[in-house]
Amino acid sequence: MRNYWLDDRKEMLFRDLIKQFFYAYLFFNQLKEEYQKENRIPFSKLDYWVGTEIKKGALWQIKDSAHILFRNPISEREIFEYLFDWTLGSIFHEAMKLKEDIYQIEAYSLKWVRAKKLKVNPKDIEEEISIIVNNAKKNLREEMKRLDYLFEKAILRLHKILPLHNKNFLLIKFLIEEEMLLEKVLGEKALTRILKITFPENQEEKAFLMAEEGCVKKGRIQNALFILQRGRRLLPDSIAIKKRLNELKN
């Protein structure tokens, strides 16, 4: 039985998934920077990022969205979409382990402080707490390395699947309008590189014309002008973009 609900929303869900993934990548980089400076990560940040079954965080939502898009047994699946989904799921599960280890570090460190305030001799529990905390800290280092690797792997796999979605107006519009976000995640001139991957054989101008046409159909003329102006900046030799920009202005 065909999933018409998914068919109607697939382009929007994919656009939203990519957006959520970019922000998750930036959040991880902040965690990594904090860990390198302070040698610790607050549990509250992992709790916010991962969430719970009842109150799902960004990573939980990304994992669920990827499963909906790429694990539907009715739809056809490309191998790199499957691998992208697998990588996002691995990021989620690795972050869950990281969250648990950070909890253990904070919880047992607090127990140690409380033991010192009680009549109990702290030495009676010192060895046990030391083993638990040191193991958790060792795990934390390995989990951060693993997450770093998985995020980079996910970006490589994203490059592989973008050409499969080059007719997704919402995705292309997002990529063009969020050029600064792309550069934060993928580096300088990221939009140019992404469009070359998504529209091979020097057909990048299709991206701007498609996004502009979609905006015009929805009555968003200012958005359409913004997209064409960005196209003129990145592809100054495109006659088609220049022509369409002049038509829209007039």
Side-chain angles (χ1 to χ4, degrees), residues 43 46-47 49-53 59-60 63 89-103 143 147:
F43 174 79
L46 262 293
D47 192 39
W49 195 40
V50 177
T52 64
E53 187 73 47
L59 280 190
W60 209 308
K63 182 260 300 180
S90 297
I91 288 172
F92 167 75
H93 290 293
E94 200 67 35
M96 285 283 283
K97 292 189 286 183
L98 180 66
K99 178 183 172 183
E100 176 61 26
D101 282 314
I102 291 173
Y103 173 79
E143 286 150 3
L147 279 168

Side-chain angles (χ1 to χ4, degrees), residues 125-135:
I125 60 172
E126 180 178 7
E127 183 179 358
E128 179 183 352
I129 289 179
S130 178
I131 291 172
I132 292 172
V133 171
N134 287 336
N135 282 341

Side-chain angles (χ1 to χ4, degrees), residues 19 22-23 26 174 178-185:
K19 183 177 181 178
F22 284 163
Y23 279 112
L26 293 177
F174 161 73
E178 297 292 339
E179 184 177 6
M180 290 182 65
L181 175 60
L182 260 66
E183 291 196 348
K184 287 180 181 178
V185 175

